[in-house]
Amino acid sequence: MLFVMSATQMQMLARGYLIYDITGSASILGYIHLGMAVPMLTVPLFGGVIADRFSRKTIIQCAQIALAGQTLVLGLLIHFNLIIWQYVLVESLINGCAWSFLMPARQAIIPQLISQQNISNALALNAAAHAFCMAAAPAIAGVLYAYVGPWNVYYIVVILGLLSVILTALIPRVESMPSPDNSSVLREMLEGLNYIRSMPILVVLLLLGLATTMLAMPFKFILPVFVIDVYRQGPDSMGALMALLGVGSTVGALYAAATGRGRRGITLIVASFLSGISLLLI
């Protein structure tokens, strides 16, 4: 996961800066990120059902190979100066689809690999690793982009992706349990939605997560506009700004892990308000 998340953060920086650098259009920058967001908002429900029906290890590896393959193609297009923003839009769509299968399978395989009493610790370690990648990878990618070119960033992302495929091969194979009644994919998706609807706390958390994703996260995506047009800086400065977002995520994750269960709801509400206030100040 360290390799996959590092590759993702590096590619996110390179993609955003490259698109705004070659087009100068914030609207096109928005289209690129929308291209990834649409499948990630619609396909994961189907991806979760697939993760219940087939080998999760195989799904993870196939998704990782797809991510590495499309990244290699884009890196070559950039290297030979054949890149146009429409190619990056297609790459974003493929990226979003691959992650829609990768995420459910990766999350679902954790309880199959460890004992029940260690699940909380495993998920906390997973979140800490994610936050660490958000802090370190963008800073490295920004320096590489500035001094060795964006295509080399993409090539490094490909190497990290292939290493993740190799490491995933070392995970013990745990087969998913087949559906007991041979129900259809659509029926299983509806059952999942009905389960969520039956638990109000899950509905509230999903709506809160959706609101945060739609209203707060886009600021990260339009950072190239600030870096290039407002601050007149390069990709290394953008990497530093994105790294600070990762540092904040790390601090927040550590605080959440240290907070008692009774206070996590208040922490979530306060953090949401602080996020909105910070955007108002900007």
Side-chain angles (χ1 to χ4, degrees):
M1 200 210 72
L2 282 170
F3 284 133
V4 171
M5 293 310 305
S6 295
T8 301
Q9 294 298 320
M10 294 176 73
Q11 187 174 7
M12 187 179 297
L13 180 140
R15 181 195 296 126
Y17 194 92
L18 174 72
I19 285 300
Y20 195 68
D21 192 32
I22 64 178
T23 67
S25 171
S27 296
I28 292 178
L29 185 62
Y31 298 152
I32 297 300
H33 290 295
L34 181 65
M36 185 172 180
V38 169
M40 291 193 69
L41 285 172
T42 56
V43 181
L45 196 60
F46 177 72
V49 175
I50 296 300
D52 282 337
R53 289 171 170 255
F54 300 98
S55 168
R56 290 163 185 173
K57 176 180 175 179
T58 302
I59 295 171
I60 293 171
Q61 286 185 300
C62 290
Q64 289 170 339
I65 292 172
L67 289 170
Q70 55 93 24
T71 302
L72 176 61
V73 171
L74 206 64
L76 290 171
L77 290 172
I78 298 170
H79 195 168
F80 293 104
N81 201 26
L82 300 173
I83 192 65
I84 56 175
W85 72 266
Q86 289 89 345
Y87 292 158
V88 185
L89 178 60
V90 173
E91 179 258 353
S92 294
L93 287 167
I94 297 173
N95 208 300
C97 290
W99 273 100
S100 297
F101 289 94
L102 176 60
M103 286 192 301
R106 194 178 66 186
Q107 292 291 338
I109 203 174
I110 293 176
Q112 292 184 298
L113 297 175
I114 58 173
S115 58
Q116 183 71 26
Q117 62 267 27
N118 288 326
I119 288 180
S120 296
N121 289 340
L123 294 176
L125 181 61
N126 190 68
H130 186 186
F132 172 78
C133 293
M134 288 181 63
I140 296 172
V143 173
L144 290 172
Y145 191 113
Y147 292 101
V148 298
W151 55 89
N152 283 312
V153 177
Y154 273 83
Y155 293 156
I156 292 173
V157 168
V158 173
I159 293 172
L160 291 173
L162 294 177
L163 287 173
S164 69
V165 174
I166 295 172
L167 287 174
T168 304
L170 303 177
I171 297 176
R173 180 175 294 276
V174 183
E175 298 297 336
S176 300
M177 294 296 293
S179 300
D181 56 354
N182 294 320
S183 59
S184 66
V185 171
L186 179 60
R187 180 178 176 183
E188 289 191 31
M189 292 168 62
L190 292 176
E191 287 176 351
L193 291 173
N194 288 331
Y195 175 76
I196 293 173
R197 189 174 60 181
S198 68
M199 300 185 68
I201 185 61
L202 290 182
V203 176
V204 171
L205 289 174
L206 281 172
L207 291 175
L208 184 59
L210 182 62
T212 303
T213 301
M214 297 293 290
L215 301 176
M217 286 186 64
F219 172 71
K220 182 177 182 179
F221 300 147
I222 62 169
L223 269 180
V225 181
F226 283 85
V227 172
I228 297 176
D229 288 352
V230 179
Y231 302 127
R232 305 294 180 184
Q233 299 295 317
D236 50 345
S237 296
M238 181 174 165
L241 288 175
M242 289 185 66
L244 287 174
L245 289 170
V247 171
S249 297
T250 304
V251 174
L254 293 174
Y255 179 80
T259 302
R261 293 184 61 183
R263 297 173 57 190
R264 287 176 181 166
I266 297 298
T267 301
L268 184 61
I269 294 171
V270 172
S272 299
F273 274 101
L274 289 176
S275 177
I277 291 170
S278 69
L279 289 175
L280 283 175
L281 290 174
I282 292 171

